[in-house]
């Protein structure tokens, strides 16, 4: 049973894989974030350099901005034109019951999608084979294999299987997979492939008779009647590595190799345990062995073995042709081994020559540390490799190829001007996703989709390659190289130099500078999280005339490491940035209108495209209902005079535009009025029927040019259409729509033909692909293709049961609950990179249900049918009550509003007592983000010169606020998040409420030099330039209002803050006065040969005179006490009711009291006998919970 839940889904990427997953021709990226599996597709777009989106709004990312032009070091475009960019689009995500340890692709004989399958390994020796099911638009598990058994356990003193790292490797030709688990156990899982012995099953025509025929399925896969073909895999078996080769006593890493006839893998191992402290006795202890498997006989053969390799080798990297063989990666060197056993190595730092006797080429001047680095081939047919260091720096590995043999390898660091430092942290995984594209995952920073280009390759293609055909699809990577090369090809100042580069004069000419890297897209990461703090609500100064505004409870988390270390601010609700406010008495609803003013009417030509011209307000009071139009001017709102908009006609139900913005439509309860761009009355369309005395009232409306859908109070609908002149006329309806029984409706123009719904009766119409979605009283869904209102093209009666997959033939279980649905809206959600239609339903409890349409294949033919997939929505409404207006006895909900461009997002707003936005980014799922200000009567999109891509909303007082989404904020986790960069590791933090500041403990790495010591004269002769690094801590004071550092207190070298706590301590033994103070516990990390030391610091935050033009600098640290401690101070807490503090120091927990002379007097202690990592007190009781890694949790009391 779990007593906790996740506040956010995992964001740190641990594994990635590129494969054709959704279909045989698809290009998909699979990303694993510990226990979350995500499926992405790649989309090439031409993006504006000034585009505002989730990946570009943070100035902190200016150096890795894929669209901006602020940092030429990244190789980004320096012009403001449209740059070709590859974006990640999320297809689906799934929570797994386990932590992913490996991802691999496998090609099976039969798959539902026709693409390849995914094989996933989890902790505790579990393997799952997964494929894509296009009929359910979801993954489907083929099989699960578990190898956690007692009979595979070795010696009793060996660690359990769960304590060992398990990982999976797959043969490049998909013949088998090998799972390394336990100390030295290997599970082999064979797979059937066409033409191999597993499929043929030792067929003998003399014994078995005529060979059975195979059938070909519609996906091109082979089908047969044999029992072996019912599953894509054969019987697995477990073997010890010692049975394969007795020398594999201490396996380090293994992986399958390319270009072998039989499944063959290379393994690094040693017969003796390796250690840096035993180099004087054991230096070259590692062996590299190549072993081939015979799956039919379950036997193995050692092909070659290379001994006496460096002790620090960590990994085997298999290489494709034209290189071949394997690259052995160590901490200080790289060694290449070809298929014949020929070796070539290179040392990358000066420690290589002291740690191994293996012959290596000397490139120690590079000073690389290869721990935590990653190597990936720059294309499947490239002879160059990309090396990503644990600092994020990039280098190119070049092989010297003589015929078919390798004669050497060299490394060259990518210059910073070409994007060599574009990544800010070390990688956790990398996957090639196309030519010139690589996804680099990270657990410490944002994961990045990296792209590169090379001038020399492009120029060769221009000279020798044929031009593209007229009907040939444009390759976005070629277009990118064309645009990037413009600066080089047409720069007159460097014409002569560029000409020399076209034809290299010698082999020694350096071409590595031609690689230019830039980031196309990112996946945001909030991990690793070391500490959190809660900031209590406060009043924050506002930039507008409204005065202070209230900032709610916030969660501040330490995130990232090294150069990307910083803080992440989490808000559950959204606080918009209000630019200006206007009071309109009794205002209940408002709409913004952007009209097209033609030269025939005004004589000034077209106005600025996309800017809104009018704001129309609908006021409601006890006496009257009115509609008033205001012009949006640079000075604010100005009421439109001398217009045909009659305020006495009543309050509008809805406002929209038709005929490409040339007609304004006012929907009134009993009629519709159309106006031109200057609010001149053009038409009045009454809804009353004089012949039948029927006087229906409009309840809601929906617009899709040139159609208007009206939902009437008698449960009927009416569809109107505007002709070329803008006049409205009713569309003829069939017998089905003449009947009652419709609750709500929505129009949607399917410009991309996602729904693929066409009427059987073809009607010539140039109005576009407009669909009408109707929600019936019984909870059913009906779709019509306009202008044909006689035939329903799609019908699903089970919509109100909210099935996970909505289909026309969905049948209801007897015990299944039914939801009362009140509203439907079909619109596009997404950002500037990718938009897709979604069906959003609103229930009687004010909750939202989101469905995504998809096409499911029909068995037996190539046709598809429309299905809907339910999207998980964990954020529910806080209240189900509708918003009541003054003078309106019949309380009803305001309809949802679709906003086309809100800071780059296509969103939906839900007004009422619990207002919220539905926001989706290309790499995330739709999220419901609530607003802090409640209630919101109405909201409309607003785009003016002062408030670009913002919105106008009406608060409870009736004021119309012009606002924008908060800058530098993101929403893909369901929280409003913002990152604050420190560029250092953040270890601890806490909130100081009296000063509204945060105390943050950070550290940075500095070079360590041996101090002068008379007892060690040999230290003075140390001449190494490759210095080790130690951490040095700093305590910083962060202002909450501006998120800037206003003071800091540096610590001694090798001193790191372990814990920070704000405590209400007694500061006087005589007056017993108490004060809110900041207490910091530190540890001096002197090395394993020195005893641990620590200190306790007590600070007060005092008010001071602020710096000029910086009012936030009105507080500073004041040191109250500093105490030397024997042992690291690892945890702090208040204790009891006397104003004392509890400190975990070394292997003790000690209660101390603050004296007036600045010392901390010990009062009581308790031996813990182990390292205490956390201490929490039940406030005011003296009862404490103390946690450690060995004994668990202690419950202790101090009285």
């Amino acid at each position: 049973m779990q007593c906790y839940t996740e506040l956010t889904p995992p964001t740190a990427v641990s594994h990635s894989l590129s494969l054709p997953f959704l279909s045989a021709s698809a290009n998909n990226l699979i990303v694993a974030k510990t226990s979350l599996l995500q499926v992405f597709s790649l989309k090439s777009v031409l993006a504006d350099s000034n585009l505002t989106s989730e990946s570009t709004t943070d100035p902190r990312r200016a150096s890795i901005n894929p669209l901006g032009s602020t940092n030429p070091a990244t190789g980004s475009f320096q012009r403001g034109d449209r740059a070709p960019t590859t974006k990640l689009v999320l297809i689906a995500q799934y929570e797994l019951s386990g932590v992913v340890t490996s991802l691999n692709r496998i090609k099976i004989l039969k798959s539902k999608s026709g693409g390849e399958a995914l094989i996933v390994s989890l902790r505790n020796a579990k393997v799952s084979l997964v494929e894509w099911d296009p009929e359910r638009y979801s993954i489907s598990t083929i099989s699960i294999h578990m190898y956690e058994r007692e009979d595979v356990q070795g010696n009793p003193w060996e660690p359990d299987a769960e304590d060992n790292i398990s990982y999976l490797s797959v043969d490049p030709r998909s013949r088998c997979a090998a799972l390394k688990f336990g100390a030295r156990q290997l599970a082999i899982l064979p797979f059937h492939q066409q033409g191999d012995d597993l499929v043929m099953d030792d067929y003998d025509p003399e014994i078995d008779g005529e060979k059975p025929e195979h059938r070909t399925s519609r996906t091109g896969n082979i089908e047969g009647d044999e029992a072996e073909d019912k599953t894509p895999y054969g019987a697995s078996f477990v073997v010890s590595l010692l049975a394969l080769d007795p020398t594999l006593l201490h396996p380090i890493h293994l992986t399958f190799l390319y270009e072998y006839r039989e499944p063959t893998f290379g393994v690094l191992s040693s017969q003796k345990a390796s250690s840096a402290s035993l180099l004087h006795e054991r230096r070259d202890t590692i062996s590299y062995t190549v072993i081939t498997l015979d799956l039919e006989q379950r036997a193995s053969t050692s092909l070659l073995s290379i001994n006496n390799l460096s002790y620090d080798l960590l990994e085997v990297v298999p290489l494709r042709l034209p290189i071949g063989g394997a690259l052995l990666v160590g901490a200080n060197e790289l060694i290449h081994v070809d298929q014949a056993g020929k070796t070539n190595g290179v040392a990358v730092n000066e420690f290589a020559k002291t740690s191994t006797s293996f012959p290596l080429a000397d490139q120690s001047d590079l000073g690389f540390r290869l721990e935590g680095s990653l190597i990936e081939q720059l294309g499947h047919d490239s002879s160059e490799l990309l090396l990503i260091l644990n600092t994020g720096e990039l280098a190119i590995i070049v092989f010297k190829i003589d015929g078919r043999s390798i004669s050497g390898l060299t490394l060259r660091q990518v210059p910073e001007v070409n994007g060599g430092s574009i990544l800010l942290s070390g990688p956790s995984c990398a996957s090639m996703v196309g030519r010139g594209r690589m996804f680099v995952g990270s657990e410490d920073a944002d994961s990045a989709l990296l792209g590169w280009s090379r001038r020399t390759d492009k120029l060769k293609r221009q000279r020798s390659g044929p031009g593209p055909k007229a009907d040939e699809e444009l390759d976005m990577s070629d277009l990118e190289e064309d645009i990037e090369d413009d600066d080089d090809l047409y720069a007159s100042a460097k014409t002569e130099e560029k000409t020399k580069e076209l034809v290299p004069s010698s082999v020694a000419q350096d071409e590595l500078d031609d690689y230019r890297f830039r980031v196309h897209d990112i996946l945001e990461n909030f991990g690793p999280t070391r500490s959190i703090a809660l900031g209590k609500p406060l009043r924050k100064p506002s930039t507008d005339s409204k005065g202070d505004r209230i900032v709610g409870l916030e969660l501040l988390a330490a995130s990232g490491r090294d150069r990307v270390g910083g803080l992440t601010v989490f808000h559950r609700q959204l606080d918009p940035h209000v630019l200006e406010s206007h009071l309109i008495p009794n205002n209940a609803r408002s709409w913004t209108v952007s009209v097209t003013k033609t030269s025939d009417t005004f004589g000034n030509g077209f106005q600025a495209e996309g800017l809104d011209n009018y704001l129309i307000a609908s006021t409601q009071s006890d006496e009257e209902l009115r509609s008033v139009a205001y012009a949006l001017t640079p000075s604010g709102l100005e009421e439109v005079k001398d217009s045909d908009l009659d305020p006495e006609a009543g309050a509008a139900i809805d406002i929209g535009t038709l005929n490409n913005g040339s007609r304004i439509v006012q929907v009134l309860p009993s009629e519709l009025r159309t106006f031109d761009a200057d609010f001149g009355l053009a038409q009045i369309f009454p809804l009353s029927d004089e012949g039948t005395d029927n006087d229906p009232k409009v309840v809601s409306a929906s617009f899709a040019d040139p159609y208007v859908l009206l939902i009437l109070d008698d449960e009927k609908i009416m569809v109107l259409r505007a002709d070329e002149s803008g006049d409205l006329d009713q569309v003829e309806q069939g017998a089905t729509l003449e009947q009652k029984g419709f609750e709500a409706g929505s129009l949607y123009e399917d410009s991309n033909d996602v729904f693929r719904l066409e009427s059987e009766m073809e009607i010539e119409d140039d109005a576009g692909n407009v669909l009408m979605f109707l929600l019936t009283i019984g909870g059913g869904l009906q779709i019509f293709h306009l202008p044909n209102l006689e035939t329903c093209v799609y019908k699903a009666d089970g919509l109100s049961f909210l099935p996970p997959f909505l289909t026309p033939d969905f049948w209801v279980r007897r015990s299944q609950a039914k939801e009362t649905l009140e509203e439907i809206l079909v619109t596009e959600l997404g950002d500037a990179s990718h938009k897709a239609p979604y069906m959003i339903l609103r229930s009687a409890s004010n909750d939202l249900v989101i469905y995504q349409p998809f096409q499911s294949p029909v068995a037996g033919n190539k046709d598809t049918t429309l299905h809907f997939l339910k999207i998980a929505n964990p954020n529910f409404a806080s209240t189900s009550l509708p918003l009541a207006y003054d003078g309106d006895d019949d309380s009803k909900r305001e309809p949802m509003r679709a906003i086309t461009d809100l800071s780059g997002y296509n969103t939906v707003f839900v007004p009422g007592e619990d207002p919220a936005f539905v926001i989706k980014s290309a790499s995330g799922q739709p999220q419901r983000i609530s607003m802090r200000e409640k209630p919101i009567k109405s909201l409309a999109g607003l785009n003016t010169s002062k408030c670009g891509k913002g919105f106008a909303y009406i608060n409870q007082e009736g004021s119309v606020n012009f606002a924008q989404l908060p800058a530098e904020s993101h929403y893909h986790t369901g929280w409003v998040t913002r990152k604050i960069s420190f560029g250092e590791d953040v270890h601890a933090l806490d909130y100081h409420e009296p000063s509204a500041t945060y105390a943050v403990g950070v550290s940075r790495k500095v070079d360590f030099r041996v101090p002068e010591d008379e007892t060690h004269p040999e230290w003075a002769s140390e001449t190494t330039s490759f210095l080790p690094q130690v951490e040095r801590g700093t305590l910083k004071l962060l202002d909450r209002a501006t998120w800037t550092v206003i003071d800091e207190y540096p610590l001694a070298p090798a001193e790191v803050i372990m814990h920070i706590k704000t405590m209400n301590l007694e500061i006087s033994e005589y007056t017993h006065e108490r004060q809110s103070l900041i207490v910091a516990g530190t540890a001096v990390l002197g090395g394993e040969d020195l005893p641990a030391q620590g200190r306790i610091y007590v600070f007060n935050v005092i008010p001071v005179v602020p710096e000029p033009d910086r009012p936030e600098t009105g507080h500073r640290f004041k040191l109250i006490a500093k105490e030397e401690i024997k042992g690291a101070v690892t945890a702090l807490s208040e204790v009891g009711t006397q104003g004392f503090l509890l400190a975990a120091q070394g292997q003790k927990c000690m209660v101390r009291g603050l004296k007036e002379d600045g010392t901390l007097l010990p009062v009581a202690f308790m031996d813990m006998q182990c390292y205490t990592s956390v201490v929490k007190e039940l406030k005011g009781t003296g009862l404490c919970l103390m946690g450690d890694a060995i004994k668990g949790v202690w419950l202790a009391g101090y009285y």
Side-chain angles (χ1 to χ4, degrees), residues 275-556:
S275 174
S277 61
L278 299 176
L279 285 180
H280 59 286
E281 296 182 4
R282 312 172 186 171
R283 296 191 63 178
D284 299 327
T285 59
I286 304 298
S287 299
Y288 173 67
T289 307
V290 177
I291 300 175
T292 184
L293 298 176
D294 187 341
L295 299 178
E296 180 183 359
Q297 302 296 329
R298 296 189 177 183
S300 64
T301 304
S302 296
L303 299 183
L304 64 89
S305 180
I306 302 175
N307 303 318
N308 301 325
L309 298 174
S310 177
Y311 83 101
D312 59 356
L313 290 178
L314 305 171
E315 184 183 6
V316 182
V317 178
L319 301 177
R320 301 181 181 88
L321 291 178
I323 304 174
L327 186 66
L328 310 183
V329 183
N332 308 309
E333 67 280 320
L334 296 172
I335 301 175
H336 177 262
V337 182
D338 64 10
Q339 293 185 353
K342 180 183 177 182
T343 60
N344 293 278
V346 59
V348 297
N349 58 52
E350 62 185 49
F351 285 122
K353 58 185 177 182
T354 62
S355 61
T356 181
S357 300
F358 192 85
L360 300 171
D362 187 15
Q363 281 193 279
S364 58
D365 58 320
L366 293 173
F368 287 166
R369 292 178 170 91
L370 298 183
E371 298 94 336
S373 62
L374 192 143
I375 296 176
E376 188 74 19
Q377 215 161 339
L378 285 170
H380 298 304
D381 57 349
S382 176
S383 61
E384 296 174 337
L385 309 180
L386 177 64
L387 169 64
I388 308 175
L389 301 176
N390 58 1
T391 59
E393 297 174 298
L394 305 180
I396 305 295
I397 304 175
V398 181
F399 289 85
K400 299 177 182 178
I401 303 177
D402 294 335
R404 300 189 62 181
S405 63
I406 304 297
S407 60
L409 68 158
T410 59
L411 286 84
R412 180 70 174 271
Q413 190 169 3
V414 178
E416 186 175 357
V417 70
N418 286 355
S421 301
I422 198 171
L423 301 178
L424 302 180
S425 184
S428 60
C429 57
S431 300
M432 287 291 300
V433 294
R435 187 167 64 87
R437 303 292 185 271
M438 181 186 298
F439 176 79
V440 181
S442 177
E443 295 180 323
D444 301 331
D446 296 341
S447 300
L449 181 60
L450 196 65
W452 64 88
S453 61
R454 196 175 186 184
R455 291 192 299 268
T456 54
D457 292 342
K458 180 60 185 176
L459 293 174
K460 290 177 182 179
R461 287 196 299 272
Q462 289 179 344
R463 290 199 305 258
S464 60
K469 298 179 181 179
D471 57 346
E472 192 174 47
E473 184 178 355
L474 177 64
D475 191 339
M476 296 298 293
S477 58
D478 287 341
L479 179 60
E480 176 187 356
E481 294 177 4
D482 287 338
I483 296 177
E484 286 186 344
D485 295 336
D486 287 346
D487 294 335
D488 300 320
L489 294 176
Y490 301 102
S492 58
K494 299 183 179 181
T495 304
E496 183 178 355
E497 181 181 351
K498 299 301 178 182
T499 306
K500 293 180 180 179
E501 291 181 3
L502 299 183
V503 183
S505 59
S506 64
V507 180
Q509 181 179 354
D510 184 16
E511 295 181 352
L512 295 174
D513 291 341
D514 293 333
Y515 279 105
R516 297 186 296 174
F517 294 87
R518 71 184 183 102
V519 171
H520 289 243
D521 201 2
I522 62 171
L523 296 181
E524 197 170 30
N525 176 25
F526 302 133
T529 300
R530 299 183 180 180
S531 179
I532 61 173
L534 292 174
K536 297 184 178 180
L538 83 159
R539 290 189 175 273
K540 181 177 179 180
S542 180
T543 57
D544 58 8
S545 59
K546 296 180 63 178
D548 296 350
R549 62 188 180 92
I550 298 177
V551 177
L553 185 69
E554 65 188 11
L555 176 68
L556 202 65

Side-chain angles (χ1 to χ4, degrees), residues 569-591:
V569 186
F570 292 87
H571 288 279
R572 176 55 79 183
Q573 296 171 320
L574 186 146
D575 288 307
H577 177 54
V578 179
L579 300 178
E580 54 182 287
S581 180
H582 304 274
L583 180 61
I584 301 178
N586 302 319
N587 192 7
R589 300 182 182 93
S590 63
W591 298 265

Side-chain angles (χ1 to χ4, degrees), residues 865-919:
T865 181
L866 176 63
H867 290 177
F868 290 88
L869 173 67
K870 186 178 179 182
I871 304 298
N873 179 25
N875 299 324
F876 299 99
S878 60
T879 178
S880 60
L881 297 176
L883 180 62
Y885 296 108
D886 296 336
D888 190 0
D889 297 333
D890 187 14
S891 298
K892 56 185 178 182
R893 302 186 194 278
E894 278 295 297
M896 297 182 290
R897 295 276 186 92
I899 305 175
T900 55
D901 191 356
L902 182 61
S903 297
Y905 295 101
N906 276 34
T907 66
V908 169
F909 180 75
V910 184
E913 293 287 349
D914 185 22
F917 286 100
V918 180
I919 301 179

Side-chain angles (χ1 to χ4, degrees), residues 189-243:
L189 178 61
F191 286 91
H192 303 304
Q193 297 298 332
Q194 184 62 29
D196 62 9
D197 294 336
L198 290 174
V199 175
M200 298 301 293
D201 197 21
D202 293 337
Y203 168 73
D204 189 345
E206 296 182 359
I207 301 177
D208 300 330
E210 185 179 356
K211 180 180 177 180
E213 295 182 357
H214 290 79
R215 300 187 304 271
T216 303
S217 67
R218 63 182 179 89
T219 59
N221 297 321
I222 302 299
E223 296 180 353
D225 297 331
E226 297 88 344
E228 301 291 342
D229 287 341
K230 294 181 179 179
T231 60
Y233 53 87
S236 63
F237 56 95
V238 177
V239 62
S240 173
L241 288 174
L242 295 177

Side-chain angles (χ1 to χ4, degrees), residues 799-816:
L799 177 61
S800 59
F801 294 94
L802 305 181
F805 294 93
L806 178 64
T807 61
D809 54 353
F810 170 75
W811 58 275
V812 181
R813 297 180 181 178
R814 181 176 299 178
S815 60
Q816 194 165 356

Side-chain angles (χ1 to χ4, degrees), residues 122-127 146-149 151-153 160-162 164-168 178-188 237-239 241 251 254:
L122 307 174
R123 282 184 184 173
N124 302 333
K126 297 180 181 179
V127 176
M146 294 177 288
Y147 300 97
E148 187 183 15
R149 304 194 308 269
D151 57 346
V152 300
Q153 182 70 24
D160 296 334
E162 60 183 9
N164 289 275
I165 299 176
S166 63
Y167 55 89
L168 186 73
L179 175 69
K180 160 65 176 62
F181 69 99
R184 53 185 66 88
Q185 300 294 330
L186 195 65
I188 307 297
F237 56 95
V238 177
V239 62
L241 288 174
L254 65 87

Side-chain angles (χ1 to χ4, degrees), residues 842-848 877 879-881 893 910-911 914 928:
R842 195 177 185 185
S843 67
S845 59
N846 203 26
D847 291 325
L848 299 182
T879 178
S880 60
L881 297 176
R893 302 186 194 278
V910 184
D914 185 22
R928 176 174 180 156

